[in-house]
Coordinates of all heavy atoms in Angstrom, one line a residue:
D1356 N -5.9 -22.7 19.7 CA -6.7 -23.0 18.4 C -6.1 -22.1 17.3 O -5.3 -21.3 17.4 CB -8.1 -22.8 18.6 CG -8.5 -21.3 19.0 OD1 -7.6 -20.4 18.8 OD2 -9.6 -21.1 19.3
D1357 N -6.5 -22.5 16.0 CA -6.0 -21.8 14.8 C -6.4 -20.4 14.8 O -5.6 -19.5 14.4 CB -6.7 -22.4 13.6 CG -6.1 -23.9 13.3 OD1 -5.0 -24.1 13.8 OD2 -6.8 -24.6 12.6
F1358 N -7.5 -20.0 15.4 CA -7.9 -18.5 15.4 C -7.0 -17.7 16.3 O -6.5 -16.7 15.9 CB -9.4 -18.4 15.9 CG -9.8 -16.9 16.0 CD1 -10.1 -16.2 14.9 CD2 -10.1 -16.4 17.3 CE1 -10.5 -14.9 14.9 CE2 -10.4 -15.1 17.4 CZ -10.7 -14.3 16.2
S1359 N -6.7 -18.2 17.5 CA -5.8 -17.5 18.4 C -4.4 -17.4 17.8 O -3.7 -16.4 17.8 CB -5.6 -18.2 19.8 OG -6.9 -18.4 20.4
T1360 N -3.9 -18.5 17.1 CA -2.6 -18.5 16.5 C -2.6 -17.5 15.4 O -1.7 -16.6 15.3 CB -2.3 -19.9 15.9 OG1 -2.3 -20.8 17.0 CG2 -0.9 -19.9 15.3
A1361 N -3.7 -17.4 14.6 CA -3.7 -16.4 13.4 C -3.7 -15.0 13.9 O -3.1 -14.1 13.3 CB -5.0 -16.6 12.6
M1362 N -4.3 -14.7 15.1 CA -4.4 -13.3 15.6 C -3.1 -12.9 16.3 O -3.0 -11.7 16.5 CB -5.5 -13.2 16.5 CG -6.9 -13.5 15.9 SD -7.2 -12.3 14.5 CE -7.0 -13.4 13.1
T1363 N -2.2 -13.7 16.6 CA -1.0 -13.3 17.3 C 0.2 -13.4 16.3 O 1.3 -13.0 16.7 CB -0.6 -14.3 18.5 OG1 -0.5 -15.7 18.0 CG2 -1.7 -14.2 19.5
R1364 N 0.0 -13.8 15.1 CA 1.1 -13.8 14.2 C 1.3 -12.5 13.5 O 0.4 -11.7 13.4 CB 0.7 -14.8 13.0 CG 0.7 -16.3 13.5 CD 0.1 -17.3 12.5 NE 1.0 -17.3 11.4 CZ 0.8 -18.1 10.4 NH1 -0.3 -18.8 10.3 NH2 1.6 -18.2 9.4
V1365 N 2.5 -12.3 13.0 CA 2.9 -11.0 12.3 C 2.2 -11.1 11.0 O 2.5 -12.1 10.2 CB 4.4 -10.8 12.3 CG1 4.7 -9.5 11.4 CG2 5.0 -10.7 13.7
P1366 N 1.5 -10.0 10.5 CA 0.9 -10.1 9.2 C 2.0 -10.1 8.1 O 3.1 -9.8 8.3 CB 0.1 -8.8 9.1 CG -0.1 -8.3 10.6 CD 1.1 -8.9 11.3
P1367 N 1.6 -10.7 7.0 CA 2.5 -10.8 5.8 C 3.1 -9.5 5.4 O 2.3 -8.5 5.3 CB 1.8 -11.5 4.7 CG 0.3 -11.6 5.1 CD 0.3 -11.2 6.6
H1368 N 4.4 -9.4 5.2 CA 4.9 -8.1 4.7 C 6.4 -8.5 4.2 O 6.9 -9.5 4.5 CB 5.0 -7.0 5.8 CG 5.9 -7.4 7.0 ND1 5.5 -8.3 8.0 CD2 7.1 -7.0 7.3 CE1 6.4 -8.5 8.8 NE2 7.5 -7.8 8.4
N1369 N 6.9 -7.5 3.5 CA 8.3 -7.7 2.9 C 8.9 -6.3 3.0 O 8.7 -5.5 2.1 CB 8.2 -8.3 1.5 CG 9.7 -8.5 1.0 OD1 10.6 -7.8 1.2 ND2 9.8 -9.6 0.2
M1370 N 9.8 -6.1 4.0 CA 10.4 -4.8 4.1 C 11.4 -4.6 3.0 O 11.5 -3.3 2.5 CB 11.3 -4.7 5.5 CG 10.4 -4.6 6.7 SD 9.4 -3.2 6.7 CE 8.0 -3.8 7.5
D1371 N 12.0 -5.5 2.4 CA 13.0 -5.3 1.3 C 12.2 -4.8 0.1 O 12.6 -3.9 -0.5 CB 13.7 -6.6 1.0 CG 14.7 -7.0 2.0 OD1 15.2 -6.1 2.7 OD2 14.9 -8.2 2.1
A1372 N 11.0 -5.4 -0.2 CA 10.2 -4.9 -1.3 C 9.6 -3.5 -1.1 O 9.6 -2.6 -2.0 CB 9.0 -5.9 -1.5
E1373 N 9.2 -3.2 0.2 CA 8.7 -1.9 0.5 C 9.9 -0.8 0.3 O 9.6 0.2 -0.4 CB 8.2 -1.8 1.9 CG 6.9 -2.5 2.1 CD 6.3 -2.3 3.4 OE1 6.7 -1.4 4.2 OE2 5.3 -3.0 3.8
Q1374 N 11.0 -1.1 0.8 CA 12.2 -0.2 0.7 C 12.6 0.0 -0.8 O 12.9 1.0 -1.2 CB 13.4 -0.7 1.5 CG 13.2 -0.5 3.0 CD 14.4 -0.9 3.7 OE1 15.2 -1.8 3.3 NE2 14.6 -0.4 4.9
A1375 N 12.5 -1.2 -1.5 CA 13.0 -1.1 -2.9 C 11.9 -0.3 -3.7 O 12.3 0.5 -4.6 CB 13.0 -2.5 -3.5
L1376 N 10.6 -0.4 -3.4 CA 9.6 0.4 -4.1 C 9.8 1.9 -3.8 O 9.8 2.7 -4.7 CB 8.2 -0.1 -3.7 CG 7.0 0.7 -4.3 CD1 7.1 0.8 -5.8 CD2 5.7 0.0 -3.9
L1377 N 10.0 2.2 -2.6 CA 10.2 3.6 -2.2 C 11.6 4.1 -2.9 O 11.6 5.2 -3.3 CB 10.4 3.7 -0.7 CG 9.1 3.4 0.1 CD1 9.4 3.4 1.6 CD2 8.0 4.4 -0.2
A1378 N 12.6 3.2 -3.0 CA 13.9 3.6 -3.6 C 13.6 3.9 -5.1 O 14.3 4.8 -5.6 CB 14.9 2.5 -3.4
C1379 N 12.8 3.1 -5.7 CA 12.5 3.4 -7.2 C 11.9 4.8 -7.3 O 12.3 5.5 -8.2 CB 11.5 2.4 -7.7 SG 12.2 0.7 -8.0
C1380 N 11.0 5.2 -6.5 CA 10.4 6.5 -6.5 C 11.5 7.6 -6.4 O 11.5 8.6 -7.1 CB 9.3 6.6 -5.5 SG 7.9 5.6 -5.7
L1381 N 12.4 7.3 -5.4 CA 13.4 8.3 -5.2 C 14.5 8.4 -6.3 O 14.8 9.5 -6.8 CB 14.2 8.0 -3.9 CG 13.4 8.3 -2.6 CD1 14.0 7.6 -1.4 CD2 13.4 9.8 -2.4
L1382 N 14.8 7.3 -6.9 CA 15.9 7.2 -8.0 C 15.3 7.8 -9.2 O 16.0 8.5 -10.0 CB 16.3 5.8 -8.2 CG 17.2 5.2 -7.1 CD1 17.5 3.7 -7.3 CD2 18.5 6.0 -6.9
E1383 N 14.0 7.5 -9.6 CA 13.5 7.8 -10.8 C 12.9 9.3 -10.8 O 12.7 9.9 -11.9 CB 12.3 6.9 -11.2 CG 11.6 7.1 -12.4 CD 10.3 8.0 -12.3 OE1 9.6 7.8 -11.2 OE2 10.1 8.9 -13.2
G1384 N 12.7 9.8 -9.6 CA 12.2 11.2 -9.6 C 10.8 11.2 -9.3 O 10.1 12.3 -9.1
G1385 N 10.1 10.1 -9.2 CA 8.7 10.0 -8.7 C 7.6 10.0 -9.8 O 6.6 9.4 -9.5
Q1386 N 7.8 10.6 -10.9 CA 6.7 10.7 -11.9 C 6.2 9.4 -12.4 O 5.1 9.0 -12.3 CB 7.0 11.7 -13.0 CG 7.3 13.1 -12.5 CD 6.1 13.7 -11.6 OE1 5.0 13.6 -12.1 NE2 6.4 14.2 -10.5
E1387 N 7.1 8.7 -13.1 CA 6.7 7.4 -13.7 C 6.4 6.3 -12.7 O 5.4 5.6 -12.8 CB 7.8 6.9 -14.7 CG 7.9 7.8 -15.9 CD 9.0 7.3 -16.8 OE1 9.3 6.1 -16.9 OE2 9.6 8.2 -17.6
S1388 N 7.2 6.2 -11.6 CA 7.1 5.2 -10.6 C 5.8 5.4 -9.8 O 5.1 4.4 -9.6 CB 8.3 5.1 -9.7 OG 8.6 6.4 -9.2
I1389 N 5.5 6.6 -9.4 CA 4.3 6.8 -8.7 C 3.0 6.7 -9.5 O 2.1 6.2 -9.1 CB 4.4 8.2 -8.0 CG1 5.5 8.2 -6.9 CG2 3.0 8.6 -7.3 CD1 5.7 9.5 -6.1
T1390 N 3.1 7.0 -10.8 CA 2.1 6.8 -11.7 C 1.8 5.3 -11.8 O 0.7 4.9 -11.8 CB 2.4 7.4 -13.1 OG1 2.6 8.8 -13.0 CG2 1.3 7.0 -14.1
A1391 N 2.8 4.5 -11.9 CA 2.7 3.0 -11.9 C 2.1 2.5 -10.6 O 1.2 1.6 -10.6 CB 4.0 2.4 -12.2
C1392 N 2.4 3.1 -9.5 CA 1.9 2.7 -8.2 C 0.4 3.0 -8.1 O -0.4 2.2 -7.7 CB 2.5 3.4 -7.0 SG 4.3 2.8 -6.7
I1393 N 0.0 4.2 -8.7 CA -1.4 4.6 -8.6 C -2.2 3.7 -9.5 O -3.3 3.3 -9.2 CB -1.5 6.1 -9.1 CG1 -0.9 7.0 -8.0 CG2 -3.0 6.5 -9.3 CD1 -0.7 8.4 -8.4
R1394 N -1.7 3.4 -10.7 CA -2.3 2.4 -11.6 C -2.6 1.1 -10.9 O -3.6 0.4 -11.2 CB -1.6 2.3 -12.9 CG -1.7 3.4 -13.8 CD -1.2 3.1 -15.2 NE -1.3 4.3 -16.0 CZ -0.2 4.8 -16.7 NH1 0.9 4.2 -16.7 NH2 -0.4 5.9 -17.4
A1395 N -1.6 0.7 -10.1 CA -1.7 -0.6 -9.4 C -2.5 -0.5 -8.1 O -2.6 -1.5 -7.4 CB -0.4 -1.2 -9.2
R1396 N -3.1 0.7 -7.8 CA -3.8 0.9 -6.7 C -2.9 0.8 -5.3 O -3.5 0.4 -4.3 CB -5.1 0.2 -6.6 CG -5.9 0.3 -7.8 CD -7.3 0.5 -7.4 NE -8.1 0.8 -8.6 CZ -9.3 0.4 -8.8 NH1 -9.9 -0.2 -7.9 NH2 -9.9 0.8 -9.9
I1397 N -1.7 1.2 -5.5 CA -0.9 1.3 -4.2 C -1.1 2.6 -3.6 O -1.2 3.7 -4.2 CB 0.6 1.2 -4.6 CG1 1.0 -0.1 -5.3 CG2 1.5 1.5 -3.4 CD1 1.0 -1.3 -4.4

Side-chain angles (χ1 to χ4, degrees):
D1356 62 14
D1357 290 338
F1358 178 71
S1359 297
T1360 302
M1362 296 303 102
T1363 59
R1364 295 172 67 181
V1365 176
H1368 65 283
N1369 184 320
M1370 287 301 145
D1371 292 331
E1373 288 188 12
Q1374 287 181 332
L1376 178 52
L1377 295 173
C1379 286
C1380 297
L1381 286 163
L1382 290 173
E1383 180 268 321
Q1386 296 305 308
E1387 292 178 30
S1388 52
I1389 293 176
T1390 299
C1392 288
I1393 291 168
R1394 283 189 184 133
R1396 303 226 172 149
I1397 298 287

